[in-house]
Amino acid sequence: MLEFAPFRIPMDRRMQTFAVSHFVFCFLFLGPLSVIFFIYVMFFTSYWYLLIPYIIFYVLDWDTPEKGGRRSPWMRNWKFWKHMSNYFPTSLYKTVDLDPCKNYIFGIHPHGVLCMGSFTHFCTNGSEFESIFPGFNSHLTMLPFWFRLPFHRDYLMTGGLVPSTKRSILHILSRPDGGNICCIIPGGAPESLNARPGDCVIMLKNRFGFIKVALTEGVDLVPVFSFGDHELWEQEPNPPGSWLRKFQDFSQKWCTFALPMFHARGIFQYNYGLMPYRKPIHTVVGEPIEVEKNANPTKEEIQALHDKYVTKLQELYDKHKSKYVKGESKLVIE
Ligand SMILES: *[C@@H]1O[C@H](CO)[C@@H](O)[C@H](O)[C@H]1NC(C)=O
C-alpha cells in the first residue's frame, strides 16, 4: 500500500522538504544539466554569443577552485539551509574548543550516500557552524571533476567547497593566520556504496593521504563522526562479488563516480523515492590529535599516526554511541 503524506502540512515542514529536495536534485542533476544547458545554448541556439563573457570568466577563473575557492558568507547563511537542517534534524557538537590561530584537518566519517551531514555542517550555517566554531572557515573537499563543469562549479564554490587535490588542500592549510578547517572525507565516494541502515561500514585502513598531509604540514588532525548519516536511505544489496558491486567498482575506477542504488521516500508519499528519511544526524567533532611537522615522514611514522587516528576515532564513537546509536548497529572499519 502506498502511504501518502498528509494533505495539510505545516508550512515549515513544507519548507524543509523543499530545501532537502533542492539539495538532492542539485547533487544528482545540477552538474549534467549545467553541461547540457551550456552545449545547447552554444550549438543549438542563436544566442551562443551570450556565453562568451562566461567562457572568458571561466578561463581566467580556472585556478580559483584550487586556490581556496570563492565562499559566499551570505549564501552560507541562507535561512533555506536552516530548513534543510531541521528536516532531519542535524546537530553539530564540539568536544573541546579549537584554537582559531591554527589550521586543522577534520577527518569525517562516514560519507553516507550524499554527504548530507557534512554538507549541512561545513558548507552552510544551517546547523550553526559559525556560532559553534567562531573565527573558523570550513572547506569541504570534493571530487575535482565537479569543479570543471560550467555554472555548477560557481554554485559549489559559494559553500566553501574545494577540490580534493593536494594543491588545493595545501593552499588552505598553509594560510598563515590560521582559522581554516579542511574537511576531508577519507572514505570518499566508494564509502557511499556501504551506506544503509544497520552497521556503519567505513573505509579507513588504506587511507593514508590525509595523514601524510597532516604530517608534512604539521597540522592537527581532528576525527569527526557523524552518527546517523549512513542511515538516511536504503540501498540495493551490493555485497562484494555481486554483479551490482562489480559494475559499481567499474564505474568508480573509470569514471571516478560511485553509483549507489539508493532510495527511501518521496515528496508526497512515504514508500519510494530519492528523498531521505527524516532521521536525526548527530555529528561529534572530537579532540584534535597534535601533529608535529615532519617534512619527510617515513612509512612507519605515517602508519603510527594512522594507528593513533583510528584509535581516537574508535574512542570517539564508543564514547558517544550510547546517546546516538539505536539498536545493534556497529562501527566497522575496513
Ligand atoms: C549562523 O546562524 C546563527 C543561528 O541562526 C546566527 O546566530 C549566526 O549569526 C549565523 N552566523 C553567521 C556568520 O552569519
Side-chain angles (χ1 to χ4, degrees), residues 91 93-95 225 227-228 280-285 315-327 329:
S91 333
Y93 311 95
K94 65 177 165 189
T95 49
F225 199 85
F227 291 91
I281 302 173
H282 298 280
T283 304
V284 187
V285 177
E315 280 174 16
L316 181 72
Y317 180 86
D318 292 339
K319 193 166 168 201
H320 297 276
K321 68 180 176 193
S322 61
K323 278 176 280 179
Y324 306 129
V325 179
K326 290 209 191 76
S329 66

Side-chain angles (χ1 to χ4, degrees), residues 19 46 81 91 98 100-101 153 157-158 166 170 172 184 194 220 224 232 239 243 251 254 299 313:
S46 46
W81 305 123
S91 333
L98 301 181
C101 300
R153 68 191 282 279
M157 282 197 283
T158 62
K166 193 163 173 199
L170 293 186
I172 287 164
I184 299 178
N194 297 332
D220 289 1
V224 179
L232 303 173
W243 71 265
S251 91
W254 296 102
K299 234 178 155 183
L313 179 70

Side-chain angles (χ1 to χ4, degrees), residues 187-201:
E191 198 172 84
S192 67
L193 300 176
N194 297 332
R196 54 168 62 79
D199 290 350
C200 181
V201 184

Side-chain angles (χ1 to χ4, degrees), residues 294-312:
N294 178 349
N296 287 306
T298 61
K299 234 178 155 183
E300 291 72 32
E301 286 165 332
I302 295 172
Q303 185 66 53
L305 182 59
H306 187 276
D307 292 346
K308 191 166 177 188
Y309 181 85
V310 173
T311 312
K312 291 284 174 194

Side-chain angles (χ1 to χ4, degrees), residues 77 82 125 128 130-131:
N77 210 25
K82 206 139 280 168
N125 187 29
E128 301 183 14
E130 319 268 353
S131 319

